[in-house]
Amino acid sequence: MIHLRGLTKRFGTFQALDGVDLTVEAGKVQGLLGPNGAGKTTTVKVLTTLLEPDEGDAFISGYSVRREAHAARTCLGVSGQYAAVDDKLTGMENLTLVGQLYGMRRSAARARARELLEHFRLDGVPSGQRTGSYSGGMRRRLDLAGALVARPPVVVLDEPTTGLDPRGRRDTWEAIASLADDGTAVLLTTQYLEEADELSDSIAVIDRGRIVAEGSASELKSRAGGVRLDFTLADQGSLADAHALLTAAGLDVTRGERSRRLSSSAPHGEGSLVTALSAFDEANITVSEASLRQPTLDDVFLKITDQPPGSARGTHPMPERVSV
């Protein structure tokens, strides 16, 4: 349903996309993750016909976004990073207008609007209340509902749960899962790694305009090197010494200055934990918490891109693409 083939986009000397290939099948949720500036938003803008690529092409239900942009848009629902609702209209009026823009009869559009307002728990809002007085979470839910009015076969969700409270996020997760269950192809960009873990059938990691890793969440986690060690130190002053001890033992270590936490690889499982604690004891480093855990998508980001998903692009060398 979605095919990206060799997408390339430059802004002056800046290479935003550098040969992106990606396929999303019907009934699947494809996560697209990456640091800020990695190319996620540019990919979304090309796919939604807002930008034309310099090279390559993207296809929505078989329609080229370069040559058949209008036809591609008729098959596409989009919810962007910011809620695109008309503040002077009610929720019903917003959704009815979207339906009519898609060519639906007014009665059918209103019926679909009522269905979506109930689904997203907006049916309890007074019928005459304009969306300008909605909370941020309510506006996000209405915006997502607008992307679904015409039951498009392809939906692009660009960070759809930004600004939502935990209940609103969970409701949105359920809506996205139901889309896939109904056969919709979903491209989901997010900076909430738990969201990608929960929803995505497959995850692509983009960095410096290239897809650098692909696979299921469990497959990507295996790239992080098996089980991990987590330590919380009793005082911040010993953090650097503890970091040096683990690094000297050949472990891959990350640390949080304010949290006094260290995380490292554990090539020997419990044996690595015992060895590390013994080394800390000999160095008079007090550990308040220690644990073994399975790797997370955060670990994947740190290993593949050398930075968490919400950070700016670094200066590390371009990693090679990894298929798992």
Side-chain angles (χ1 to χ4, degrees):
M1 301 300 289
I2 301 175
H3 297 282
L4 311 182
R5 297 179 184 171
L7 286 186
T8 299
K9 184 66 180 178
R10 303 176 193 86
F11 298 99
T13 60
F14 176 66
Q15 187 80 48
L17 297 179
D18 191 8
V20 172
D21 296 311
L22 194 64
T23 297
V24 187
E25 299 177 358
K28 300 294 183 182
V29 178
Q30 173 69 57
L32 184 63
L33 309 182
N36 286 340
K40 300 189 303 296
T41 298
T42 302
T43 299
V44 167
K45 286 185 176 181
V46 170
L47 188 61
T48 55
T49 74
L50 297 177
L51 278 177
E52 185 169 334
D54 298 323
E55 300 173 23
D57 205 347
F59 298 85
I60 303 293
S61 298
Y63 296 110
S64 164
V65 300
R66 302 188 72 169
R67 302 185 305 273
E68 304 162 292
H70 177 73
R73 286 193 290 268
T74 65
C75 302
L76 185 64
V78 182
S79 179
Q81 293 183 19
Y82 306 100
V85 299
D86 190 319
D87 291 349
K88 296 182 178 180
L89 301 180
T90 66
M92 169 65 76
E93 290 169 342
N94 266 278
L95 297 184
T96 300
L97 175 62
V98 171
Q100 290 183 289
L101 290 173
Y102 271 101
M104 299 171 65
R105 292 182 178 275
R106 180 175 176 79
S107 58
R110 286 184 61 83
R112 178 62 171 158
R114 280 192 293 271
E115 178 184 338
L116 289 168
L117 289 172
E118 179 179 358
H119 183 79
F120 284 95
R121 296 189 300 109
L122 294 169
D123 53 324
V125 177
S127 59
Q129 183 175 341
R130 297 180 179 182
T131 58
S133 64
Y134 280 19
S135 69
M138 293 167 66
R139 290 168 64 86
R140 290 295 299 167
R141 300 206 305 273
L142 183 64
D143 183 67
L144 180 56
L148 309 182
V149 169
R151 294 184 174 87
V154 173
V155 172
V156 176
L157 305 176
D158 193 11
E159 300 184 17
T161 61
T162 298
L164 295 185
D165 59 25
R167 174 61 186 272
R169 185 176 302 171
R170 179 61 62 177
D171 288 346
T172 302
W173 287 4
E174 291 177 0
I176 294 171
S178 68
L179 283 177
D181 290 341
D182 290 340
T184 304
V186 180
L187 179 67
L188 169 71
T189 78
T190 179
Q191 296 205 27
Y192 297 114
L193 298 184
E194 59 174 331
E195 186 164 274
D197 205 351
E198 174 79 17
L199 295 173
S200 300
D201 297 290
S202 180
I203 297 170
V205 181
I206 188 170
D207 193 27
R208 291 182 176 343
R210 295 183 186 176
I211 302 295
V212 296
E214 290 181 84
S216 67
S218 60
E219 288 169 339
L220 290 178
K221 289 174 187 177
S222 70
R223 299 284 308 172
V227 294
R228 304 283 297 178
L229 296 174
D230 281 342
F231 302 100
T232 302
L233 305 187
D235 63 272
Q236 190 174 16
S238 58
L239 189 64
D241 291 338
H243 185 277
L245 280 173
L246 294 177
T247 301
L251 302 181
D252 176 25
V253 188
T254 59
R255 75 189 195 191
E257 299 292 339
R258 298 187 65 182
S259 63
R260 310 188 312 279
R261 295 190 65 187
L262 292 169
S263 178
S264 78
S265 55
H268 305 295
E270 291 185 6
S272 296
L273 177 61
V274 171
T275 300
L277 290 175
S278 296
F280 290 159
D281 187 54
E282 291 179 7
N284 294 317
I285 295 173
T286 303
V287 177
S288 58
E289 292 183 16
S291 64
L292 277 172
R293 62 170 175 81
Q294 294 298 315
T296 66
L297 285 179
D298 292 88
D299 300 315
V300 174
F301 263 94
L302 291 170
K303 186 174 183 65
I304 294 177
T305 71
D306 270 346
Q307 54 194 309
S311 67
R313 176 181 296 156
T315 58
H316 57 282
M318 168 62 69
E320 295 297 324
R321 177 169 179 154
V322 179
S323 295
V324 292

